[in-house]
Structure formats: C-alpha cells, structure tokens
Amino acid sequence: MLSNEKIEALIEKRGVLKGLNSTLGISAISLVIVFVLYTILLGQTASEQFLGIKSWIEQTLGWYYIVVMLSAFIICVYVMFSKAGSIRLGRDDERPEFSNFAWFSMLFGCGTGAGMLFFSMSEPMIHFASDWSGGNPFMSSEAKLAVSQFFTAKQEALAAGLLPGDAGFPLPSYLVAEAASSGMTLTILHWGTVAWGIYGIVGLSLAYFAFRKGLPLSIRSALYPLIGDRIYGPIGHTADVLAVLGTIFGISTTLGLGVQQIGAGLVSLGIIEETNQTITVVSIILVTVMATLSATSGVAKGIKILSTTNSYICIAILAYFLISSEGTNYIIASSLTSLGDYVSNVISMTLWTARSPEERTWQGGWTIFYWGWWIAWSAFVGLFIARISRGRTIREFVLGVMFIPSVVSLLWFGVIGSAGIYESLYGADMTIYNTSVQNWDYAGTIYASFDVLTPGIPALIAKACALVVVVIFFVTSADSGTLVLGRLLSFGRRPPVQQRIIWGAVLGLVTLVVLLMGGNEALRALQAASIAGALPFTFILIAMMWGLVKSLRKDSEHIVADEEIVRKMIEKEVADLS
C-alpha cells in the first residue's frame, strides 16, 4: 500500500491538471474527445455501429448480465446477514455523517435521477397494455387478448357517446386485472432490490476499502485483495478510466434525454409552443451551471439541500395522486398486490431468460437494457454512495441501499402507475392510454395525467412541481458525477474547486456538442455506447465481488488497517465536506 506522501507525489500541483494525476487526466480527456468526434463526424454510421454492438450484447449476452446482477444481489444479502454485517465502514467508534433522511434523499437523487419520474406512469402502462414484441412475457396470452379486446371495446363505446356507468360500457375482467398487476410487478423488478444490488456491491466495496482499510476512495481500491499494490499501475488506471468514461457518457446521455423532459414540461405548461434548439441549449447550460455551483459548495451543502428538497416535492406528488384520483382504494390494493407478487416471484423473474427471437427482442429492449444501464451507472453512483456512507455498519448500508429504495420504488410506481392504470380502465378519458401505450411518450405521459385528473390551475401547479423535480434530479446527478470524476482522476482525493468546475463544464459541453452537431442520432449512439461500455466493466465488478468477500472473511475481529491513514483521510473529509 502506498503512503499518503507517495500518492501525493503522483498528483499535479499546478496548471490545468492541478489536483489530478496527469496520466489519468490526459487519458480520460483524450478518449472523450476521440469518442465524441467519432460519434459526430460519422453520424449515422457511428450510431448504427454502437447500436449494433448494443443489440448484439442484448441478444447474445443477456444471460451474462442476469448472472452478474443476481450475483451482486446475493452477495449483498449474504454479507448483510453474516457476522460481517456488524462491521462499521470506518473506525469502530464512528457514527454516520448524515441523517437517515438526508442519506436516503441523496441515494435517490444520485441513483435514479429523473428516470423514476420519466417512467413512473408510462412503464407500468406499457407492460400492462402494449403488445410490442409479444408484450409482457410474464402475462398469459389470454390476459393479453383480454386487454386488447377491452381497450378496443372501450374506444368504440366512447366513440358512440357512452360514458362509464352507462349500460353497455365495458368493464375490465379478472384477466385484465391480472394483466395490470403483472405490469406493475415487472416495473418494480426493473427498479427494485436486484437493480439496486449493483450499486450496493460497488458502494460497499469502495466504502469498506477506503474507510476500513485506508485505501483511496476509487474503483481501483476494490481490486487490492487480488492484485495488491499493482492497483497503482496500468490495471488500476484502466479501471478508473473505464469508470470515468461510463460516468461522462452516462450522465451526458441522461442530460440529453432530460432536455426532452424539460421541453415536454414547458410545452405542457404553455410556456413554449414546441421544443427547439434554443430551449435545448438554454436547458443544458442552466443544468450544468446549477450542478457546477452545487458541486463547488460540497456534499453537505449543495447535493444534500437539493436532494432533501426534491424528496419533499416527491412526497407531495405522491399525495397529489392519492388525493386527486378517484381510485384511491384501487391504488392501495394494487400496490399491496404488486408487493406480494414481487416478493413471491423476484428470483424467478430475474432468472427468466428469453428463448425465442421475439422474446429476446423484448428482453433486450427492456430488462437487459435496464441491467446494462444500472451497470453503466454503478461506478459513479457506487463511489458517491460510498462517500456519503462513512460511519454506517455494513448491515445498515445494505439495508439502506438495497431494500429501502425498493420500498420507495414500490410506493412511487404503485401510486403513480396504478393511478394511470385506474384512469385508463375506469375513466372516460383515453389520454393516458394513448400517450403511453399508443405513442410511447414517456416524458409526456405524466404531464398529460395532470390534465386528466385535475384540469385547470391544479394541473398547472402539479406540472410545475414535476418540472422542478426533473430539473433537480438532473442537477444532483450531474453534481454528484462532477465530484466523482474528480476523485477517480486523483486517486480518491478530494477534487479542488478548479477541477469540479472543469469537469462540470465537460459534462455539459459533451452533451451540448453531441446534441447540436449530431442530433438524436448521436445521442442514441452515445446511449448505446454507454450500455455497451458496461460489458468490460462487468469484469471489474466480478473481481470487486471476489475481493470484497475475500477481505471480509479476514475482518471478523473488526480491525481497521492503517488506523493513522484512515484518521487522516477522515480529517480531510470533515475539513471540507465535498
């Protein structure tokens, strides 16, 4: 293990790279420039190449992604219930740095981004009623037929002037109810414990080796039990640079998609008639500036304040759907049923692997896409989670990172998704169904639901709250990503303000250049490359799991290695909570 003095000698003391390791910094920025130029200059060709790689992975290696995700989940559960669960991430007398509510808020702000709002109503609706590529594979063919017949009959009834409650107006059968429950359960699978397990394994490994063993808070440290001091050489550099690229392209893609959500919100509010290039540029610049300012203020200020504020607004949005929907009893019953179905079937649903070409297309477009996306984000989210989890026990960490988020996901999708399904089944308006199932308008579905539930001023207020949540989610994702990039390029050291500004600008600039010069094709290529890039990172994840289990077996006596190094590291963190 290198001493603090030797690591400090590897960090630049002046110039543009001040605070970073020059090899890591130059390698990362060079690869980013090459990739962005390639994506823009080749346009359609680059998009087709990356999409082809992504499609090949989804069609051929779906089983491998499933094994990796399930392995991370199983190891986290095993560690939580083992005697190692009482080991504290830090010195034995340390206590958590942040309150539980602030900690959970930052977990969600960084870990899910605006995705939970983006898919909150549209995904349950699609898994319930869409027949794309054969539709939900966990739904019986009889249920799929019943759903199709029901919505056809309902549209015909509405066209004939009938309303709910009139004689001859169709009512959903038990098969339709079964399909609705299946759609909810599948959505929770994509956002539940198995998904969060990949964040858990990365975050736990990094927090353990940093705060327990005195190693740098960086991806390379998780490999120490396997390769020792070689983590400071080319192997460690490769691991960190892969994480840097995944972070930059993952966040840039998310910001690019986020512009669509912001634009949809502004259109829905009537502020603009349609999205255009000016809105795109202004949105990206504002999010980038806000994220950079937040990053320079530190975790304890910027990200914490934004995340807790967002949590309160999200609670208000949940309350809105419970109160405004006429199907409150249905929402509660649907959520409870989905919980039971998920707990009963989570392992079998996770292990389900497509066999026919149609099934492989569906699984590749949904579940494997999700697993690749979670893996692609795991490096930067895991490192950020590790940073905010010092002082917690391993058992508390796993419970907080894996199981609490699953409960919140159940509440979120259960309430909002069930509200959309209820209105589609029993309401007189087909807007939610048409927007989500017919048009696949992810961003527009939730905004449309506000007009259906509470037309007029209440809808405008709800839309404004949703738009604020979208913006804050993107700001916290970019904010935490900026801090993580600085750490990855400086052997886990706190990045100086200069680097937070530089890498915040890089995130915004990459997004802006890709959208303006390459358009949606370049964005799709970037997204595909992010998912494809998750494949090499899975090998690091496997090594990380192996190294963590190996090291925990030797830590039964709760001994902190290199107590003095750990003490100095924590003193630096406390001096500037960043």
Side-chain angles (χ1 to χ4, degrees):
M1 181 186 300
L2 292 186
S3 64
N4 271 326
E5 291 72 20
K6 289 183 178 180
I7 293 179
E8 286 293 340
L10 298 173
I11 306 298
E12 292 294 321
K13 301 299 188 293
R14 61 178 64 86
V16 146
L17 295 176
K18 179 183 176 182
L20 305 184
N21 173 265
S22 59
T23 302
L24 290 173
I26 293 171
S27 299
I29 199 65
S30 299
L31 288 171
V32 169
I33 291 172
V34 168
F35 182 84
V36 170
L37 288 177
Y38 183 83
T39 301
I40 292 170
L41 296 177
L42 270 70
Q44 180 71 27
T45 302
S47 178
E48 290 175 355
Q49 289 173 346
F50 293 131
L51 287 170
I53 295 172
K54 171 178 168 286
S55 177
W56 179 82
I57 290 172
E58 291 171 347
Q59 297 282 332
T60 309
L61 296 177
W63 62 270
Y64 173 68
Y65 275 35
I66 291 170
V67 169
V68 171
M69 295 294 291
L70 190 60
S71 298
F73 169 76
I74 291 172
I75 289 175
C76 283
V77 173
Y78 165 75
V79 169
M80 183 179 74
F81 287 108
S82 72
K83 61 181 181 181
S86 60
I87 295 174
R88 196 166 290 278
L89 300 174
R91 298 192 304 268
D92 290 336
D93 60 348
E94 277 195 86
R95 291 300 177 265
E97 180 180 351
F98 300 101
S99 68
N100 286 336
F101 185 77
W103 186 53
F104 294 145
S105 298
M106 288 189 283
L107 286 178
F108 280 103
C110 175
T112 63
M116 285 186 69
L117 190 70
F118 194 59
F119 292 104
S120 57
M121 188 173 286
S122 57
E123 185 173 351
M125 283 295 304
I126 290 171
H127 293 326
F128 159 48
S130 173
D131 61 356
W132 176 76
S133 193
N136 183 342
F138 303 103
M139 191 188 301
S140 66
S141 56
E142 292 82 4
K144 293 176 183 178
L145 179 61
V147 170
S148 176
Q149 291 175 340
F150 169 78
F151 281 111
T152 299
K154 183 176 180 180
Q155 288 175 324
E156 291 173 351
L158 290 172
L162 296 177
L163 294 174
D166 292 348
F169 196 87
L171 292 173
S173 66
Y174 78 93
L175 285 173
V176 175
E178 173 190 298
S181 178
S182 178
M184 286 298 308
T185 306
L186 181 53
T187 301
I188 295 169
L189 172 71
H190 292 155
W191 295 86
T193 50
V194 175
W196 279 86
I198 205 71
Y199 288 173
I201 202 71
V202 176
L204 179 57
S205 296
L206 299 182
Y208 173 77
F209 288 111
F211 300 129
R212 195 79 192 167
K213 299 300 181 183
L215 288 163
L217 185 56
S218 192
I219 298 297
R220 68 179 68 226
S221 297
L223 307 179
Y224 189 81
L226 306 180
I227 62 175
D229 284 345
R230 283 183 291 166
I231 64 169
Y232 300 105
I235 297 176
H237 290 354
T238 301
D240 282 345
V241 169
L242 275 175
V244 166
L245 296 179
T247 300
I248 292 174
F249 297 143
I251 293 179
S252 295
T253 303
T254 303
L255 289 177
L257 296 173
V259 170
Q260 299 174 8
Q261 295 184 59
I262 294 172
L266 294 173
V267 170
S268 183
L269 284 166
I271 296 174
I272 59 174
E273 292 185 3
E274 60 181 13
T275 56
N276 53 49
Q277 196 171 85
T278 301
I279 297 299
T280 297
V281 172
V282 172
S283 297
I284 291 173
I285 290 175
L286 284 177
V287 169
T288 301
V289 170
M290 291 171 65
T292 304
L293 289 174
S294 176
T296 57
S297 67
V299 173
K301 297 177 184 177
I303 298 179
K304 177 184 174 183
I305 292 171
L306 287 172
S307 297
T308 51
T309 300
N310 222 27
S311 292
Y312 286 121
I313 300 176
C314 286
I315 291 171
I317 290 175
L318 287 178
Y320 165 86
F321 280 102
L322 281 171
I323 295 169
S324 63
S325 175
E326 295 180 358
T328 302
N329 288 333
Y330 175 88
I331 291 172
I332 295 172
S334 173
S335 298
L336 290 174
T337 300
S338 299
L339 172 61
D341 289 344
Y342 177 71
V343 171
S344 301
N345 302 305
V346 59
I347 299 299
S348 60
M349 291 179 71
T350 301
L351 286 173
W352 181 83
T353 305
R355 289 148 293 187
S356 69
E358 189 175 49
E359 286 181 343
R360 281 196 292 271
T361 299
W362 183 92
Q363 189 175 38
W366 280 106
T367 305
I368 302 305
F369 170 82
Y370 264 122
W371 292 167
W373 195 246
W374 285 88
I375 292 171
W377 271 52
S378 64
F380 103 82
V381 175
L383 196 151
F384 180 76
I385 291 174
R387 164 61 191 88
I388 63 175
S389 300
R390 178 175 56 81
R392 298 184 183 275
T393 65
I394 288 178
R395 186 169 293 115
E396 184 181 4
F397 177 93
V398 174
L399 183 65
V401 173
M402 279 181 53
F403 293 98
I404 301 300
S406 297
V407 173
V408 175
S409 295
L410 170 68
L411 288 173
W412 184 259
F413 288 102
V415 171
I416 299 177
S418 296
I421 290 173
Y422 178 84
E423 292 301 323
S424 299
L425 291 177
Y426 300 101
D429 195 312
M430 295 292 286
T431 300
I432 294 174
Y433 171 82
N434 290 330
T435 305
S436 58
V437 178
Q438 299 297 327
N439 301 334
W440 282 52
D441 184 355
Y442 299 115
T445 300
I446 191 166
Y447 290 117
S449 72
F450 297 133
D451 287 322
V452 173
L453 293 172
T454 56
I457 300 299
L460 290 176
I461 295 173
K463 290 175 184 178
C465 289
L467 183 59
V468 170
V469 168
V470 168
V471 172
I472 294 179
F473 265 135
F474 285 120
V475 169
T476 51
S477 293
D479 181 349
S480 53
T482 299
L483 293 172
V484 165
L485 285 171
R487 286 187 177 275
L488 288 171
L489 296 171
S490 60
F491 291 98
R493 296 298 197 260
R494 290 180 293 107
V497 172
Q498 170 186 323
Q499 294 304 329
R500 301 177 211 178
I501 295 172
I502 289 174
W503 288 98
V506 167
L507 288 174
L509 190 60
V510 168
T511 308
L512 202 57
V513 169
V514 167
L515 283 176
L516 294 183
M517 299 188 69
N520 288 332
E521 283 298 330
L523 185 63
R524 290 178 66 214
L526 196 62
Q527 184 183 40
S530 298
I531 304 302
L535 180 60
F537 194 71
T538 58
F539 305 131
I540 295 174
L541 287 172
I542 292 171
M544 193 177 286
M545 296 180 215
W546 181 14
L548 178 65
V549 172
K550 180 180 178 180
S551 187
L552 284 175
R553 287 177 177 174
K554 300 178 180 179
D555 200 9
S556 58
E557 297 179 3
H558 294 200
I559 299 173
V560 177
D562 297 292
E563 178 89 30
E564 185 63 19
I565 292 178
V566 173
R567 184 184 63 79
K568 289 181 178 179
M569 175 192 295
I570 292 169
E571 285 178 352
K572 288 182 179 180
E573 292 290 348
V574 172
D576 181 7
L577 296 175
S578 59

